[in-house]
Amino acid sequence: MSRSVPAPEPVVPRSVAVIMDGNGRWARRAGLERIRGHERGIDAVRTTVTECARLGVEALTLYAFSEENWQRPQREIDLLFKLLQRFLVEERPTLMQNRVRLLHAGRRERLPPPVLALIDETVALTRDNAGMQLCLAISYGGRQELVDAMRSLARRVASGELSPGQIGEATIRGALYQPGVPDPDLLIRTAGEQRLSNFLLWQISYAEIHVSDVCWPEFGREQLEAAFRDYGRRVRKFGKVL
Ligand code: FPP
């Protein structure tokens, strides 16, 4: 008699990061314009945020707009920011109900002022929420984050506030965009791609990587549970012998 191996239980990671890929492909396959894929992607964002908050994830970081995304057609950029603005307004009650605290990671300089204003307002509104931290990476690049961190540390050294010998991992972490967000335990990427795409290069050092074959608009509860189940299978040694 064959005995089946029970599927591992899903394990809820403390910190999760997601590269939401495949909006364009999903739309093309459905015979729609690329931007329709981003619109549908919002539903997947909503499900992932509420489900992670419900399950007790402490921090969720979503790659919403990369430094490289500035090279997309202006029409697509405008639509992405429109969707983002709508999300920041319409989801406020859900963020409050779920006690989610919003944070932003990325360069502020190139963001349109109305987008920045809505980010700042939502960050301020949710500041005292003690539940999950939702960090939106917008106009974000991992290398750019390290450049900005090094510049700020160099300024402190130049002013005499810090000596080079005092710079260590903790000082560098402190100079990142969101030092309070714990390093991701699990990085999820959709649409089958196996790349980091300049995401959280410092923070991702020991993250487990789960690649989901579905495009982001199709990512739902079932796919999140599969990712947590896969995570539950991983043996994390952090370079040590167990
Ligand atoms: C990648 O798909 C997705 C993006 C560049 C943007 C992700 C944005 C959203 C899901 C909507 C806004 C986000 C929030 C948090 C409200 P792609 O266009 O690169 O897909 P493709 O590789 O198939 O072309």
Side-chain angles (χ1 to χ4, degrees), residues 57-164:
V57 169
E58 275 182 42
L60 172 67
T61 305
L62 299 178
Y63 207 1
F65 193 88
S66 71
E67 273 288 322
E68 291 73 23
N69 288 155
W70 286 112
Q71 296 165 49
R72 293 196 172 200
Q74 193 57 44
R75 184 163 173 267
E76 184 169 339
I77 295 176
D78 292 345
L79 182 104
L80 275 168
F81 283 122
K82 227 159 90 190
L83 288 175
L84 203 59
Q85 289 180 79
R86 203 192 299 161
F87 176 85
L88 288 170
V89 173
E90 290 179 1
E91 296 306 311
R92 281 177 186 176
T94 315
L95 297 178
M96 297 308 285
Q97 270 160 28
N98 290 285
R99 299 184 309 124
V100 173
R101 179 177 175 203
L102 190 91
L103 300 166
H104 170 233
R107 284 188 172 161
R108 295 171 61 89
E109 299 87 86
R110 288 177 82 179
L111 289 176
V115 175
L116 257 187
L118 278 178
I119 292 174
D120 289 344
E121 274 173 29
T122 317
V123 166
L125 178 78
T126 60
R127 177 162 294 141
D128 295 327
N129 286 349
M132 185 178 81
Q133 295 180 313
L134 170 62
C135 181
L136 296 184
I138 305 169
S139 195
Y140 175 88
R143 287 187 172 179
Q144 290 78 4
E145 178 173 36
L146 292 174
V147 167
D148 290 347
M150 285 178 206
R151 283 186 185 151
S152 84
L153 292 178
R155 276 193 292 271
R156 289 173 62 196
V157 170
S159 75
E161 181 200 332
L162 193 69
S163 74

Side-chain angles (χ1 to χ4, degrees), residues 20-26 28 34 38 41-42 45 62-64 69 72 76 80 83-84 87 136 216:
M20 309 180 285
D21 198 9
N23 290 350
R25 266 162 285 177
W26 176 87
R28 217 178 312 122
R34 292 179 50 77
H38 298 314
I42 294 284
V45 169
L62 299 178
Y63 207 1
N69 288 155
R72 293 196 172 200
E76 184 169 339
L80 275 168
L83 288 175
L84 203 59
F87 176 85
L136 296 184
W216 178 249

